Amino acid sequence: MGLARDPEKAAVLAALGIEIRTGDYFDYDSLKRAFAGVEKVLLVPTHAFTDRSTQHANVIAAAAEVGVKHLVYTPIIRKAGSAFELPQVTEPDAFTIKTLEASGLQSTILGHPPYIENFPFYIGADAFESGVRVPAGDGKVASAAREDLAEAQAVVLTDPGHEGKTYALHGAPAVSFSDLAQILSEIRGTAVHHVPLSDEAYLEHMVAGGLPGPAAEFALRWIHAINGGEWDDQPGDLERLLGRKPTTIAEFLRDYPAAA
Ligand SMILES: NC(=O)c1ccc[n+]([C@@H]2O[C@H](COP(=O)([O-])OP(=O)(O)OC[C@H]3O[C@@H](n4cnc5c(N)ncnc54)[C@H](OP(=O)(O)O)[C@@H]3O)[C@@H](O)[C@H]2O)c1
């Protein structure tokens, strides 16, 4: 079953036979009603730039109170000892994991890398024409496609034996922004260059392309972390859960920019 604060928005799922219960992460009693009789909960973080910690704490406490056994959470992956901080993302993730550990619920942590779907957001919709114009760096990122992540999550929720485990769902292969320019060149059949920009020039380029300033700043923080190698690991967890190779960034970007 699924939870929605407005079940009308989940009508497409209801049409597939999925029971939709009404619940709002800010409304504790609604969560208790929604979780009644439920054994496992998948908590996908709510919107960044909202009070995620309160919402997540409500979900965990309501689940524990009504007897849910197992809660699965999907934070952004961080390397051990990482200096990567993005207050809207990493702080509520750390808080949520700590709250979950103290809750008495069984848990599974499914770390997400940056989604492949984010790349048009990072490099702008005009990359085929004007190049991959991002700040310099040769770090690599092993992104994963959302459908693959969703499928892996379904495996964890439906197969036994994942309680108490932490997985890091990197895709493969890891690519740098130079590799990305090469991939776009191969897709288009003409040279697409990696054009290193200063941070200021990157922000100007993205805002000129229509991205609001704060969103461009947010994208820049992710690019710095990618260039620093925050998500370059290849643990193979995603492939093992899927039982097949995950979608590659080249496969995904063949449809670019329709995929943006
Ligand atoms: N790893 C990555 O690269 C990456 C990139 C982008 C996003 N993400 C993650 O993906 C997830 C979705 O992000 P998104 O920006 O794409 O959001 P989204 O598609 O807008 O989905 C957010 C969902 O959460 C629901 N929601 C929000 N507040 C709620 C509340 N108080 N109670 C119940 N439901 C609530 C929304 O319901 P309504 O329809 O009612 O608003 C909506 O269905 C987040 O966890 C985000 O961190 C990860």
Side-chain angles (χ1 to χ4, degrees):
M1 67 182 67
L3 176 140
R5 47 186 173 180
D6 176 2
E8 293 254 314
K9 290 188 182 173
V12 67
L13 297 176
L16 295 172
I18 297 167
E19 182 189 346
I20 303 298
R21 294 189 180 176
T22 306
D24 185 323
Y25 298 150
F26 282 115
D27 179 348
Y28 188 76
D29 288 337
S30 76
L31 294 174
K32 281 204 309 181
R33 285 191 297 274
F35 295 156
V38 170
E39 204 175 307
K40 300 178 186 186
V41 167
L42 170 66
L43 171 57
V44 177
T46 64
H47 293 298
F49 302 97
T50 66
D51 180 0
R52 278 180 159 175
S53 294
T54 296
Q55 295 174 79
H56 296 180
N58 281 343
V59 170
I60 292 166
E65 190 179 333
V66 304
V68 169
K69 292 193 171 50
H70 182 190
L71 194 143
V72 177
Y73 182 62
T74 61
I76 192 77
I77 295 167
R78 292 182 76 199
K79 276 190 170 171
S82 166
F84 171 61
E85 295 289 347
L86 200 55
Q88 304 86 352
V89 176
T90 54
E91 284 174 17
D93 274 349
F95 169 84
T96 303
I97 291 168
K98 220 168 128 199
T99 306
L100 193 49
E101 284 166 356
S103 70
L105 291 164
Q106 293 182 317
S107 64
T108 306
I109 303 299
L110 294 178
H112 282 188
Y115 300 157
I116 287 179
E117 287 83 352
N118 290 359
F119 275 85
F121 168 63
Y122 297 147
I123 64 178
D126 62 343
F128 277 119
E129 290 72 35
S130 54
V132 175
R133 302 170 74 87
V134 295
D138 47 21
K140 291 182 183 260
V141 55
S143 294
R146 286 183 304 203
E147 283 198 8
D148 285 349
L149 294 169
E151 189 176 325
Q153 286 160 196
V155 169
V156 166
L157 287 162
T158 52
D159 284 355
H162 297 291
E163 296 85 350
K165 297 199 174 153
T166 294
Y167 300 98
L169 304 182
H170 301 81
V175 298
S176 66
F177 284 107
S178 298
D179 298 331
L180 188 63
Q182 181 60 33
I183 289 168
L184 294 181
S185 301
E186 283 161 16
I187 291 170
R188 186 54 73 92
T190 55
V192 176
H193 298 288
H194 175 213
V195 185
L197 297 182
S198 67
D199 289 356
E200 295 70 27
Y202 172 77
L203 293 173
E204 276 171 27
H205 173 67
M206 298 302 278
V207 169
L211 204 61
E217 296 267 3
F218 194 63
L220 180 62
R221 299 287 296 273
W222 289 91
I223 288 169
H224 283 166
I226 289 170
N227 283 339
E230 182 72 19
W231 300 288
D232 62 2
D233 288 336
Q234 303 270 274
D237 290 350
L238 181 59
E239 181 174 341
R240 278 188 291 279
L241 286 169
L242 293 174
R244 62 169 172 80
K245 299 266 181 218
T247 308
T248 67
I249 191 161
E251 286 164 347
F252 177 83
L253 289 174
R254 268 182 212 130
D255 294 333
Y256 177 86

